[in-house]
Amino acid sequence: MSVLKVTKENFDVLKKSEKTVLIDFYADWCGPCRMVSPIVDEIAEECPQYLVAKINVDEEPELSAAFGVSSIPTLVVMQDGKIKEISAGARPKAAILAMLQK
Amino acid sequence: MHIYDIIIIGGGPAGYTAALYATRAGLDAVLVERMSPGGQMALTGEIENYPGFDEGVDGFTLGMKMQSGAERFGAKTEYAEVLSVDFSENIKKVTTTNGELFSKTVIIATGADPRKLGIDNEERLTGRGVHYCAHCDGRFYKDKIVAVVGGGNSAAADALFLSRLCKKVYVIHRRDTLRATKIYHEPLMKAENVEFLWNYTVQEILASDGRASGSVLKSTVNGDTFELKVDGLFVSIGREPMTSFLNGAVELDGNGYIIADETTKTNVAGIFAVGDVRTKALRQIVTAVSDGAVAVHYAEEYLNSNN
């Protein structure tokens, strides 16, 4: 599956998702975000059991504030509309998959 | 079992330069990288002291270019984390999260990570008021009060960067003068919203609602303590070499750096250390790329005399 670009308008999709959700909060100008971004794309491609989303912190300051994001990239795992895991900073692929499998 | 001529561990500037020199010389080399090209360089917004870029270059782009420059000659990147190494036999073994790799020589280019303060709640508050990358996270503190811990070049650059965004920037330094080079002194002293707190160390990080809200500072002169309220704490107190996975396989100095001189040779024949992970006077991109080329030169010499 491809990555879902999430804004305020379609955020409900994540809250109502039956699949476990991975959200990548990022900005285009941030080096570590650009390191993580292709890894998140790969997970979306390889793991259809997850709903993988990206939220641009510059375009979506309200969503970022709602999740208390003050560091990017921030990776969030959500299940049944609730936050299960939250992790600031770039992570290797294995560590992100481990967050999802917890 | 495939036996490479060279396994390179780490995809920063030193690692990809080694990959370029090795594959261009016709050697069979693989580079193991845990995340993505560039290393610490990729976290640097603007690089002004790498020659050839008259208007500067951003670190992420330079990392990608170094990777594609090496791939042009057939270098391969294996995306995996190295778990352990065994250098005790003639054929060296590197165990990764993707399985085992074997080679005749190994070039270690794992670099360094930001050093932590070493305070109990630091990890829990990382990304929640405690930060290690001002360039990445500074913008979340627009018009807020922050503190930078440290007095070296990166601390000074961080303080200057933050002073343009934040209402107030405290610089907490354990000495009474900056270690940073002169180029930073004047603009920092001139910035009206920068205040220096000389001769203090961070003893405690205060938290409220799961976020850092300040810190307890301790004077290095008389031991007095006081509370400083800040919205964010940016830690910039140097680097820590990534060598714990080696588990004694090569000799390290007291700070964890691999002992190797300008030949990049470690105490084990056929094992080389390049870039920031090696004992050296100046840790820069230009000295890292230089190490990468030198290591391949001596690796070739080793391969020729042992084949």
Side-chain angles (χ1 to χ4, degrees), chain B:
Chain B
M1 172 171 108
H2 184 86
I3 299 168
Y4 289 99
D5 291 321
I6 306 183
I7 294 173
I8 300 155
I9 307 175
Y16 273 113
T17 304
L20 167 66
Y21 272 74
T23 49
R24 194 164 176 271
L27 297 172
D28 181 16
V30 64
L31 185 147
V32 186
E33 165 57 40
R34 65 173 175 162
M35 207 138 62
S36 97
Q40 297 170 76
M41 187 172 79
L43 312 183
T44 311
E46 173 92 353
I47 293 164
E48 295 172 334
N49 53 5
Y50 188 73
F53 296 90
D54 53 357
E55 289 180 348
V57 58
D58 79 89
F60 186 83
T61 302
L62 187 54
M64 296 301 281
K65 280 186 174 296
M66 286 185 181
Q67 183 188 36
S68 53
E71 281 173 351
R72 188 176 157 209
F73 297 99
K76 282 172 293 194
T77 304
E78 171 103 15
Y79 288 102
E81 196 160 358
V82 173
L83 302 172
S84 64
V85 296
D86 184 353
F87 299 154
S88 61
E89 307 282 333
N90 228 355
I91 298 300
K92 281 81 183 172
K93 183 167 91 175
V94 174
T95 305
T96 79
T97 43
N98 284 357
E100 292 173 343
L101 297 169
F102 298 91
S103 65
K104 295 169 194 161
T105 66
V106 176
I107 297 177
I108 304 165
T110 42
D113 260 345
R115 177 173 293 145
K116 310 277 192 284
L117 290 166
I119 293 169
D120 281 346
N121 56 358
E122 184 176 3
E123 198 175 330
R124 197 158 40 78
L125 296 171
T126 295
R128 296 181 174 82
V130 176
H131 301 270
Y132 303 91
C133 177
H135 178 76
C136 312
D137 302 338
R139 62 176 297 281
F140 294 103
Y141 293 90
K142 196 170 187 303
D143 302 322
K144 296 202 167 159
I145 300 169
V146 298
V148 173
V149 189
N153 282 332
S154 53
D158 285 355
L160 208 52
F161 174 78
L162 291 166
S163 73
R164 297 183 193 121
L165 283 170
C166 305
K167 187 159 86 182
K168 173 103 193 171
V169 179
Y170 293 101
V171 177
I172 302 164
H173 188 38
R174 59 186 167 152
R175 303 187 203 288
D176 61 3
T177 166
L178 290 177
R179 195 160 33 82
T181 50
K182 288 264 184 295
I183 191 170
Y184 293 113
H185 289 216
E186 207 188 299
L188 265 183
M189 302 295 170
K190 266 192 187 159
E192 283 173 2
N193 58 344
V194 175
E195 184 177 337
F196 292 92
L197 297 169
W198 302 116
N199 302 309
Y200 281 102
T201 58
V202 177
Q203 192 178 43
E204 214 180 300
I205 304 169
L206 304 169
S208 67
D209 295 332
R211 287 191 55 88
S213 60
S215 61
V216 175
L217 304 187
K218 185 176 179 185
S219 166
T220 57
V221 178
N222 56 21
D224 284 355
T225 61
F226 81 95
E227 278 186 18
L228 180 73
K229 293 264 177 237
V230 293
D231 300 302
L233 198 63
F234 288 83
V235 181
S236 190
I237 52 170
R239 311 267 157 190
E240 235 157 50
M242 283 193 258
T243 50
S244 58
F245 71 99
L246 292 168
N247 211 2
V250 296
E251 206 180 328
L252 308 179
D253 76 357
N255 295 316
Y257 290 96
I258 300 172
I259 298 175
D261 62 13
E262 293 301 317
T263 65
T264 77
K265 290 179 183 173
T266 68
N267 66 315
V268 181
I271 310 294
F272 306 87
V274 296
D276 281 8
V277 79
R278 171 171 86 79
T279 50
K280 55 157 73 179
L282 184 64
R283 293 194 170 85
Q284 291 284 303
I285 301 168
V286 284
T287 64
V289 297
S290 155
D291 280 3
V294 170
V296 171
H297 169 78
Y298 286 108
E300 269 190 290
E301 191 181 87
Y302 173 88
L303 288 166
N304 290 335
S305 62
N306 284 274
N307 268 350

